[in-house]
Amino acid sequence: MKFSVFQVSRKGGRENNEDRMGYCYTRESGLFVLADGMGGHPEGEVAAQLALQTISALYQKEARPTIRDTAAFLTSALMAAHHQIIRYASEKGMLDTPRTTLVAAILQGTGATWVHCGDSRLYVVRDGELLTRTRDHSYLEQQGNGVIKLARINRNILFTCLGSPTKPVFDIAGPVVLQQGDKLLLCSDGLWGSLSDDEIVRELASKGVSDAVPDLVENALRIGGEHGDNVTVLAMEWETPDAFESTRGVSTDSIMDGVFASTIQASMLDTGADELDEATIERSIAEINEAIRRSAARKA
């Protein structure tokens, strides 16, 4: 399995960056996850971090080295993350629960399967065109489906998320058979809230992910301005096994069975949410991205 991958999370005009993202992979499978902790509720960054860590831990337990049923796994993992957030709030005696959106994808074999809850999105771009994207669980996005018809709807109003007292609503798609050069992009609403789908697709289609992702994030921050949202993006480019090394990205061929690589950090939640070090997370991401750049440069 071979792919290029790049991830960036930048603070916008918000007091805190409650977005979290990361990926892990085995020799034959990869998991990509992004969560956006919801404002208006306490400790959104904890909800996002718990979601990532729960799904990652279950993935590392069950990917031996592949997930037997990706759709069933994503369903159970999402619900497990939801229950972990609820349990965290209960143990702390919180009157309101932390909440988060979620989008997660598994790539293995020749296909990709994904799940999403809320308004964090996944885009698939092929040959310079948008192949598909997720539909937000918001009243605005569902308006055209006959769910609700109102003249004006705030795009930020969601009808589901992880951590809510009610059971989360989520959608699963795939598997979509991947082709050489296909690009998958996971993002928080800080990206698509400032940039149109056409702008996102055009940028992603014209560059490699290591160049497109930083440019997309900078454009979104510039347009969002001092009151803009945090912007988090995780994108990968797929390479088929028989293709020439065009992406010069991550190759899992050298990974032994039972071994995992991951950018999803271990938890400090047992000793309290205050120990979640955003600077450490951003520094780790920067180091990973730089390592990918150096590897690509050596192969070039």
Side-chain angles (χ1 to χ4, degrees):
M1 190 169 69
K2 195 164 189 294
F3 55 88
S4 286
V5 61
F6 206 85
Q7 57 183 26
V8 173
S9 184
R10 291 280 305 280
K11 183 178 174 182
R14 304 296 175 86
E15 183 178 351
N16 298 310
N17 186 352
E18 298 180 325
D19 298 352
R20 298 290 183 268
M21 84 295 197
Y23 60 92
C24 53
Y25 53 90
T26 69
R27 181 182 177 88
E28 298 179 33
S29 179
L31 169 72
F32 302 79
V33 192
L34 184 146
D36 180 356
M38 295 177 62
H41 302 278
E43 302 187 28
E45 74 282 0
V46 174
Q49 188 76 7
L50 276 172
L52 258 67
Q53 290 169 180
T54 301
I55 294 173
S56 173
L58 290 172
Y59 174 80
Q60 295 186 38
K61 179 181 178 181
E62 297 190 25
R64 300 294 178 182
T66 61
I67 298 294
R68 180 174 298 181
D69 185 331
T70 53
F73 170 82
L74 289 170
T75 297
S76 61
L78 179 144
M79 290 305 302
H82 171 68
H83 290 304
Q84 283 289 89
I85 297 169
I86 296 294
R87 186 173 73 174
Y88 172 84
S90 177
E91 290 176 349
K92 292 195 67 176
M94 301 175 71
L95 297 178
D96 190 13
T97 54
R99 307 182 191 192
T100 185
T101 67
L102 178 80
V103 58
I106 290 179
L107 279 62
Q108 64 182 38
T110 60
T113 304
W114 56 87
V115 65
H116 82 285
C117 177
D119 62 356
S120 291
R121 292 182 179 178
L122 181 144
Y123 291 77
V124 182
V125 175
R126 174 176 295 168
D127 296 329
E129 303 289 338
L130 178 63
L131 182 66
T132 186
R133 78 157 171 86
T134 54
R135 292 188 64 84
D136 309 332
H137 294 118
S138 66
Y139 293 112
L140 177 61
E141 184 84 346
Q142 298 296 327
Q143 186 177 9
N145 292 343
V147 175
I148 186 170
K149 292 187 181 297
L150 297 174
R152 298 180 66 183
I153 307 174
N154 188 326
R155 73 171 178 86
N156 295 316
I157 299 178
L158 305 180
F159 58 79
T160 190
C161 61
L162 300 191
S164 170
T166 59
K167 182 179 179 180
V169 175
F170 57 91
D171 291 319
I172 291 182
V176 170
V177 177
L178 297 175
Q179 298 180 9
Q180 170 70 21
D182 281 358
K183 295 175 182 176
L184 276 71
L185 180 144
L186 288 67
C187 67
S188 63
D189 64 334
L191 184 77
W192 62 259
S194 295
L195 303 177
S196 68
D197 286 357
D198 287 343
E199 290 172 310
I200 293 171
V201 171
R202 184 167 58 250
E203 188 75 19
L204 198 61
S206 63
K207 304 173 183 176
V209 292
S210 62
D211 293 320
V213 169
D215 289 347
L216 282 168
V217 171
E218 289 299 328
N219 288 340
L221 289 170
R222 176 178 50 80
I223 293 171
E226 61 180 6
H227 300 296
D229 203 349
N230 305 313
V231 184
T232 300
V233 180
L234 168 60
M236 60 80 60
E237 180 176 350
W238 180 256
E239 185 162 332
T240 54
D242 57 346
F244 182 74
E245 290 190 6
S246 57
T247 63
R248 298 190 294 274
V250 174
S251 175
T252 65
D253 293 343
S254 61
I255 297 179
M256 296 183 295
D257 289 343
V259 175
F260 291 82
S262 178
T263 68
I264 299 176
Q265 293 205 337
S267 175
M268 295 184 189
L269 294 173
D270 292 339
T271 55
D274 291 341
E275 295 189 41
L276 282 172
D277 188 343
E278 184 175 311
T280 300
I281 293 172
E282 291 186 354
R283 186 166 57 251
S284 176
I285 291 169
E287 291 171 353
I288 292 163
N289 288 337
E290 182 58 29
I292 293 171
R293 287 186 187 275
R294 288 198 301 268
S295 176
R298 286 196 299 269
K299 292 180 180 179

